[in-house]
Amino acid sequence: MKLIIQPTFSTCGQACISMITGKSIEEVIKDMKTDGATSIGQLIEILDFYGVRHAERNKRISKKLPVPYKYSILTVHTNAGYTHWTLFYDNKYYDPEFGLIEGEYTYGKITSFLEIYAE
């Protein structure tokens, strides 16, 4: 997995899709038709467009499901008060804003995740 740093404050979702697909972030922005903030619905739509298999919906972190699956797009509520997308892969956080993080994620609370099915 190659870390992609988001080019603007609001392109974390596009950067996660770029990392998953190997496409340039510019191409993802063009195909998504936005360089702004994205919803889980938009991320699912572009994953479908690119033919990437994934879970049907976001799953909430809970007592029954306390950690994300090993390859997932994470919904993070950051310590700074905004929502952010981060990729979890191979027990590492590929965060398009904060960089590659090994160990505990300390930039916010992970509240849900969308599993990506590895090929």
Side-chain angles (χ1 to χ4, degrees):
M1 182 70 53
K2 180 179 181 238
L3 176 67
I4 304 291
I5 298 297
Q6 62 195 67
T8 66
F9 177 77
S10 58
T11 51
C12 53
Q14 294 88 333
C16 286
I17 299 300
S18 178
M19 287 186 265
I20 292 166
T21 63
K23 296 184 181 305
S24 73
I25 192 159
E26 295 79 15
E27 184 176 356
V28 172
I29 288 169
K30 180 177 163 270
D31 289 341
M32 289 186 80
K33 298 174 178 62
T34 185
D35 62 357
T38 54
S39 67
I40 190 65
Q42 288 171 297
L43 297 182
I44 288 171
E45 193 174 289
I46 196 69
L47 289 170
D48 290 344
F49 177 79
Y50 289 141
V52 175
R53 294 179 51 245
H54 57 83
E56 191 176 308
R57 60 181 177 81
N58 232 6
K59 293 182 182 165
R60 296 203 70 57
I61 297 290
S62 65
K63 285 182 182 170
K64 282 190 352 188
L65 195 60
V67 294
Y69 295 154
K70 61 183 183 175
Y71 188 15
S72 300
I73 297 173
L74 308 178
T75 308
V76 176
H77 292 273
T78 67
N79 298 331
Y82 57 90
T83 304
H84 178 59
W85 302 114
T86 295
L87 190 63
F88 186 63
Y89 179 76
D90 197 25
N91 292 316
K92 297 179 189 113
Y93 300 93
Y94 288 77
D95 191 303
E97 182 176 7
F98 302 112
L100 183 62
I101 301 162
E102 296 188 49
E104 186 180 356
Y105 189 86
T106 58
Y107 293 97
K109 182 178 180 181
I110 299 163
T111 58
S112 58
F113 63 95
L114 179 73
E115 184 180 14
I116 304 299
Y117 301 140
E119 295 302 308

